[in-house]
Amino acid sequence: MNPSLPTESDESDLVRLLTPEGARVEHADAGWSGTDADLFALYRDMVLTRRIDTEGYALQRHGELGLWPPCLGQEAVQVGTAHALRAQDMAFPTYRDHGVAWVRGVPPERLLGIYRGTEHGGWDPAEHGIALPAIIIGAQTLHAAGYAMGVLMDEAVGHADSSRDAAVAVYLGDGATSQGDTLEAMSWAASFSLPLVFVIENNQYAISTATSRQTTVPLVRRAAGFGIHGVRVDGNDVLASQAVMEAALGRARDGHGPTVIEAVTYRRGAHTTSDDPSRYRAGEETEYWEARDPIARVRVLLDSLGTFERELAELDAEAEALGERLRSACRTLPEPDLAALFDLVHVETTPELREQQEAAIAWKALDTEETAS
Amino acid sequence: MAQFRLPDVGEGLTEAEIVTWHVAVGDVVAVNDVLVDIETAKSVVELPSPFAGTVTDLLVEPGRTVPVGTPIVAIGEAAEVADAAAEEKAPEMLVGYGPKDEASGGRRRRRAAVPAAVGATATATVERPRAAPPVRLLARRLGVDLARVPCDGIVTRRDLESFVRSHDGDASRVAGDAAAAPAPAPATAPAPAPSAGDRTVPHTAVRRVTAAAMVASAFTAPHVTEWVEVDVSRTVELVERLRGEREWRDVPVSTLHLVLRSVCLALRRTPELHAVWGDDALTIPEHVGLGVAAATDRGLVVPVVPQAETLDLRGIVEQVGELVAVARSGRLQPAQMAGGTFTVTNIGVFGVDAGTPILPPGQTGILAVGAITRKPWVDEHDQVVPRWVTTLALSFDHRAVDGAQGSRFLRDVADLLHDPALALTV
Ligand SMILES: Cc1ncc(C[n+]2csc(CCOP(=O)(O)OP(=O)(O)O)c2C)c(N)n1
C-alpha cells in the first residue's frame, strides 16, 4: 500500500464542507455561511494564485529566476485560511505560501525578487500584515509566537471588538513539525495562551520524505500533548479551510488561546524547480490527488449555480494578464546595488558598517575597472 | 529575433543534454509552450518558451550536451511586441552563468594576470599584495605599486600613506618605472606626482553621491543659466517686521524663506520649471518638492520639503528648520532627500553674488540666491540710493524649458522679492 494515500480512517476526522465532487455537505462542528459572491471571490483568488504559481515556475525555466517553490494543489488551504484574516492580524508564511501573500494584498511581483536574487525580502510586513517568507524550516513559528506575545502585551485581544482584537497565524509544512522550533513555539503558545493559530499544510512531503516518516499519528494530535485545541481539515476544501480558520482566529482574538489546524493537502508540483518528484512518488498517488484538486470542486459548484458565466470568462483573461504582468515585471527587476545593502541594516548605521560600505564601494570600483581594462 | 539560451534549471547546474525537440522550424509558438526536453544531472525537464513567434532555428541537435548559456533555439519576427524588450535582455539571463561571462563582459570573470598597477617587473606567479579594497583603490588612484609598500602582511592605509610621504614626491620611485604604472584609466588625466605634503581625503558617502549626481546632470541636461539683480529691501524690511511681531517671536524667519515662498508662487504661473523630462513626454508634477541645499560637515545635502506649495510662510520656516537640523546631524533619511522637483541653493551664505548652479539630476530648475548686500541703486526718481541688493541665478534644462519661460519665472521671483505685496496678486 502506498503510505501517502489516505485510508478511510484517516479521512474520518476531517472537517469537510465541499466534497471533491463539488457537493456541499454539513459538518457538526463547522459551517460556511458566505454568499455566492464570497464563493466566487475564493475561487478567483485560487485561480489567480495558481496563475502566479505557474508563471513563477515557467519564469524559472525561462532562466529568469534562480528557484521557484510551487504551491500547485495547496491553493484552498492558503486562500481559504487567509480569507479569514483581518487587517490587524499578522501572518507568518513559508516560501511556498504564495496564495496567502496574494490574499494579503502583496503585489505578486514582490514575490519574484527573492527568487531572482535581487532582493532579500520583498515587502513591508507591517503594510500587508504578512511577514517575509521563512526559508529556515520552522523558524517562523518562533517569530509568530514572539509576535503573539507582543499582541498580548499590547492588550489587543479579548475586547469583543472586531476592529481591534488581533490574532496571529503561522503557516508551516508537515516537515516543520519535526523541528524543535515548532515544538518550542507550541509550548509557549499553550503556556501563555497566545492568540496564535498554527496552520500545518500537510502536503504529504518534506522534499522527498513522506509525512509517514515524520509521524505515526495524524499531526493534529501533536496539539493535545501541549494542551492546545486541534482540528483537522480537508485542506483542498476552501470552504472548510476558511470555516475552521475563522473559528480558530475567533478564539484567539477572544483571548481563548492557540489552535493547531492540520490541513490535509497535497503538493502536486515539485518541491522546488530543482526537484524531480518522479524519483519518490508515482502514478496512482498523483492521480488520486489530481481528482481531489481544490479548484475543480469549486468550479463544479459555481457552474451548478449558473450565475457566474460572465465573471468566469473574464477571470480567464484576468489570469492571463496577470501572467503577462509577472513576466514583464520579472525581466525588469533592478540589479541590486551592493553598497545600498548597508543602508538597510540599521536605522542609524554604525562606524563599522560605514567602513564596510566604503570597502564594498571600493571593491566594486576596482572590479569594474579590472574587467573594463 | 530572439534566442533562448539554456537556463540553469537546478541551482548551479553547468550543462544539460538536449533530449527531444517538441517544435520544428516554422512552428508558431506562444509564450510558455513547451519547446524541448532537456536532461540535467538531476532530471529531465521541459523548457517552456519565453517568447511568442515562429521557430526559425533549432541550434542544438538532440543528444548533444551543451553548457548553460548556450543559445538553443531562435524564435523570430512574429514575436509579440511586448516581448521585444525580453529579446534585448536575453543575454542578461539571470541563471545562465554562461551569457554573463561571454556576452556581457562577465562580472564573474577574474583576470588571472596580475593587475597593471603591480608592475611590469612582476610575473604572473607573483602573489597580489594583500590590502583592503579602499587601500587598493587609493593605490591605484595614486599609481602606487602595492608590492613595493612595506607592510606587516597586509598593506594598510597608513602603510600606503607613509610610503607615499617617504618617497618625497618622486613619482617614478613611488610608482615604479613609468611602464609599470600606467594611468589608472585612459579617460582620466595623469594625477600630479604625489609630494610629501600631499594629503589624501577619502571620499565620504556624501561626496560620492554629490559627484555622481553632478556628473549625471551636467552631461545629460543642457543647462542654461540666467541671472537678475534685484532690490530686495522691502523683503528685508518685511523680515525685520515679522521678527518684531509677537506671533513670530519663535519663528526664525529669514529672507531665504521668502525666496522659497516666492518660488512656490512663481511655479504656479510657470510650472514647467519643475517639470520632469522624459523620453516621450514632459511630466508636470502636481506638488512642489522643494529642495533646499544645505552645507553640512559632511558636505552638501539637499533635504526636500514635500508639497511645499501647500505651506504658508510659517510652515516653510518650520519644515526647513527641522530638515536642515536633521541634515546637519547627519541623520537625514534617504526619503527626506527624495522627491525634489525644484531646488534653491543659498550661496549668499558664503558671501558670493552669483554662480551657475548645476541641476540636481532629474530636475528642471535650480535657483541660486546670492549675498544680500548694501549697494548703490538707481531708484524710480533717478536718485542713487543705498538699497539691499541681491543676485538671483536660475539654471534650467533647455530641453524642457525655453528662455521665455525661464525668464518669466526668474522675473516673477525677482518681482515678488522686490515687492512682496505682489504676492496678493498671484
Ligand atoms: C532548518 C532547515 N533545515 C533544512 C532545510 C532544507 N529544507 C528546505 S525545504 C525542506 C522541507 C520542508 O518540508 P515541509 O515543512 O513539509 O514544507 P514543504 O516544503 O512541504 O512546504 C527542507 C528540509 C531548511 N530550509 N531549513
Side-chain angles (χ1 to χ4, degrees):
Chain A
M1 229 234 16
N2 186 326
S4 290
L5 287 186
T7 61
E8 289 276 309
S9 67
D10 279 343
E11 294 224 330
S12 64
D13 63 341
L14 279 189
V15 175
R16 177 178 282 161
L17 299 171
L18 182 63
T19 68
E21 294 73 33
R24 292 282 301 266
V25 286
E26 302 284 321
H27 192 280
D29 307 323
W32 187 87
S33 53
T35 62
D36 289 353
D38 294 334
L39 181 70
F40 180 77
L42 289 169
Y43 178 77
R44 174 176 174 273
D45 282 338
M46 288 198 291
V47 167
L48 295 178
T49 295
R50 183 164 289 185
R51 192 65 190 85
I52 291 166
D53 188 56
T54 50
E55 195 58 39
Y57 195 84
L59 281 167
Q60 202 286 331
R61 296 306 190 219
H62 293 168
E64 299 287 350
L65 296 179
L67 185 78
W68 182 260
C71 67
L72 183 71
Q74 295 175 226
E75 295 88 350
V77 49
Q78 295 182 4
V79 167
T81 56
H83 265 254
L85 291 165
R86 294 196 187 136
Q88 70 268 29
D89 296 338
M90 188 71 180
F92 287 80
T94 77
Y95 43 84
R96 202 184 299 289
D97 292 310
H98 315 310
V100 182
W102 166 256
V103 175
R104 292 305 268 168
V106 174
E109 302 70 356
R110 311 296 304 169
L111 292 166
L112 301 176
I114 193 169
Y115 294 115
R116 194 175 163 94
T118 58
E119 264 189 286
H120 283 253
W123 59 84
D124 175 1
E127 185 186 345
H128 296 290
I130 176 168
L132 299 177
I135 306 238
I136 308 299
I137 304 303
Q140 76 279 17
T141 58
L142 291 176
H143 307 157
Y147 190 95
M149 296 283 292
V151 172
L152 277 194
M153 287 173 189
D154 287 348
E155 296 177 12
V157 296
H159 306 286
D161 177 351
S162 64
S163 65
R164 177 169 162 209
D165 291 340
V168 183
V170 60
Y171 292 83
L172 59 149
D174 43 285
T177 62
S178 296
Q179 286 288 129
D181 287 8
T182 302
L183 305 175
E184 286 174 41
M186 287 186 180
S187 177
W188 275 79
S191 301
F192 288 85
S193 195
L194 297 181
L196 176 56
V197 180
F198 294 84
V199 181
I200 304 174
E201 293 177 63
N202 178 0
N203 64 7
Q204 312 304 328
Y205 287 95
I207 314 187
S208 54
T209 302
T211 306
S212 54
R213 287 255 171 237
Q214 312 273 1
T215 182
T216 54
V217 297
L219 287 169
V220 71
R221 289 213 223 150
R222 297 270 196 275
F226 292 97
I228 300 179
H229 177 66
V231 52
R232 200 157 181 264
V233 66
D234 179 352
N236 284 8
D237 173 351
V238 72
L239 304 185
S241 295
Q242 183 177 5
V244 299
M245 187 67 167
E246 243 151 33
L249 289 169
R251 285 164 35 83
R253 293 190 200 105
D254 289 346
H256 299 313
T259 303
V260 170
I261 296 174
E262 179 192 355
V264 179
T265 180
Y266 191 71
R267 189 194 80 214
R268 284 185 49 202
H271 172 69
T272 68
T273 42
S274 303
D275 169 53
D276 176 6
S278 70
R279 295 193 173 198
Y280 52 85
R281 66 189 194 191
E284 187 195 2
E285 182 185 319
T286 46
E287 278 158 29
Y288 174 91
W289 285 103
E290 220 175 299
R292 279 159 179 71
D293 185 74
I295 297 185
R297 65 179 79 177
V298 182
R299 181 60 188 249
V300 171
L301 187 57
L302 281 173
D303 283 343
S304 75
L305 294 174
T307 41
F308 287 98
E309 268 142 38
R310 191 173 47 83
E311 287 84 350
L312 288 168
E314 283 169 4
L315 183 56
D316 285 343
E318 186 181 2
E320 258 335 285
L322 183 60
E324 178 68 49
R325 169 178 148 195
L326 283 177
R327 226 167 17 250
S328 42
C330 182
R331 289 166 176 165
T332 53
L333 282 174
E335 282 269 320
D337 175 9
L338 176 63
L341 188 64
F342 293 86
D343 296 331
L344 302 174
V345 183
H346 298 298
V347 173
E348 284 173 38
T349 195
T350 63
E352 292 80 9
L353 274 180
R354 172 93 60 213
E355 207 172 290
Q356 289 177 24
Q357 183 171 30
E358 303 244 318
I361 292 169
W363 174 80
K364 183 98 181 283
L366 283 166
D367 193 53
T368 320
E369 285 172 21
E370 259 171 51
T371 39
S373 64
Chain B
M1 199 213 41
Q3 284 187 341
F4 183 24
R5 291 163 184 266
L6 182 71
D8 168 8
V9 294
E11 295 177 85
L13 297 175
T14 54
E15 58 178 26
E17 179 189 327
I18 301 298
V19 181
T20 320
W21 283 105
H22 290 278
V23 292
V25 171
D27 284 359
V28 174
V29 294
V31 171
N32 289 342
D33 281 356
V34 174
L35 296 175
V36 62
D37 288 342
I38 61 167
E39 180 158 12
T40 70
K42 291 186 172 179
S43 59
V44 174
V45 170
E46 291 177 339
L47 294 185
S49 177
F51 316 113
T54 306
V55 176
T56 56
D57 213 351
L58 301 182
L59 302 166
V60 182
E61 295 141 41
R64 271 191 55 208
T65 297
V66 291
V68 164
T70 308
I72 56 172
V73 55
I75 296 179
E77 287 313 292
E80 295 172 336
V81 181
D83 278 323
E87 188 175 320
E88 269 157 37
K89 278 213 71 185
E92 288 272 324
M93 213 173 355
L94 173 87
V95 190
Y97 294 141
K100 270 224 158 117
D101 279 352
E102 290 154 25
S104 64
R107 282 189 300 147
R108 287 179 184 80
R109 189 178 58 198
R110 275 286 172 280
R111 297 185 333 142
V114 176
V118 170
T121 49
T123 67
T125 55
V126 170
E127 251 186 59
R128 171 145 93 177
R130 290 167 64 202
V135 179
R136 276 163 48 208
L137 190 64
L138 181 58
R140 170 168 308 178
R141 296 276 181 269
L142 295 171
V144 173
D145 172 1
L146 273 181
R148 295 162 53 90
V149 179
C151 69
D152 194 9
I154 297 176
V155 183
T156 64
R157 184 184 293 274
R158 189 170 298 165
D159 295 334
L160 177 61
E161 283 168 357
S162 63
F163 175 77
V164 170
R165 263 197 305 276
S166 69
H167 280 73
D168 252 347
D170 176 343
S172 66
R173 280 167 63 201
V174 171
D177 62 66
T188 50
S195 91
D198 288 359
R199 279 189 320 127
T200 52
V201 183
H203 297 323
T204 60
V206 170
R207 191 76 251 148
R208 280 177 214 284
V209 168
T210 304
M214 291 302 106
V215 171
S217 173
F219 295 107
T220 50
H223 289 58
V224 174
T225 305
E226 299 185 325
W227 53 91
V228 59
E229 207 175 23
V230 50
D231 165 15
V232 293
S233 303
R234 287 187 196 145
T235 291
V236 173
E237 279 159 27
L238 174 59
V239 168
E240 308 251 281
R241 211 178 72 219
L242 286 175
R243 282 181 179 158
E245 310 238 329
R246 281 192 68 218
E247 307 87 272
W248 286 80
R249 240 200 335 235
D250 301 324
V251 189
V253 62
S254 75
T255 45
L256 176 67
H257 299 116
L258 284 145
V259 174
L260 298 174
R261 183 81 186 109
S262 305
V263 163
C264 291
L265 293 175
L267 280 172
R268 278 194 202 166
R269 184 147 84 116
T270 320
E272 293 84 355
L273 260 294
H274 81 141
V276 181
W277 174 261
D279 284 342
D280 303 314
L282 204 62
T283 306
I284 300 189
E286 180 183 1
H287 295 297
V288 178
L290 195 54
V292 184
T296 73
D297 294 347
R298 294 167 183 78
L300 172 74
V301 291
V302 188
V304 172
V305 180
Q307 306 199 3
E309 84 285 5
T310 64
L311 299 174
D312 58 11
L313 183 61
R314 182 186 296 260
I316 285 190
V317 177
E318 284 166 359
Q319 288 239 10
V320 171
E322 271 170 37
L323 284 168
V324 170
V326 178
R328 298 243 153 90
S329 72
R331 291 183 185 168
L332 214 54
Q333 297 301 308
Q336 293 173 299
M337 291 183 274
T341 66
F342 187 95
T343 296
V344 173
T345 174
N346 182 11
I347 57 175
V349 293
F350 307 120
V352 299
D353 288 333
T356 56
I358 298 179
L359 292 165
Q363 294 183 26
T364 288
I366 179 170
L367 183 77
V369 188
I372 299 174
T373 46
R374 294 297 274 173
K375 279 193 181 167
W377 190 262
V378 182
D379 72 6
E380 51 275 34
H381 313 294
D382 257 2
Q383 300 296 308
V384 177
V385 287
R387 301 293 283 172
W388 289 106
V389 175
T390 189
T391 307
L392 302 175
L394 173 75
S395 290
F396 56 88
D397 181 344
H398 210 330
R399 293 175 302 179
V401 171
D402 290 327
Q405 294 148 316
S407 309
R408 181 172 74 193
F409 173 82
L410 182 59
R411 199 57 256 172
D412 282 351
V413 176
D415 288 347
L416 283 161
L417 293 171
H418 175 66
D419 184 2
L422 287 178
L424 285 174
T425 67
V426 290

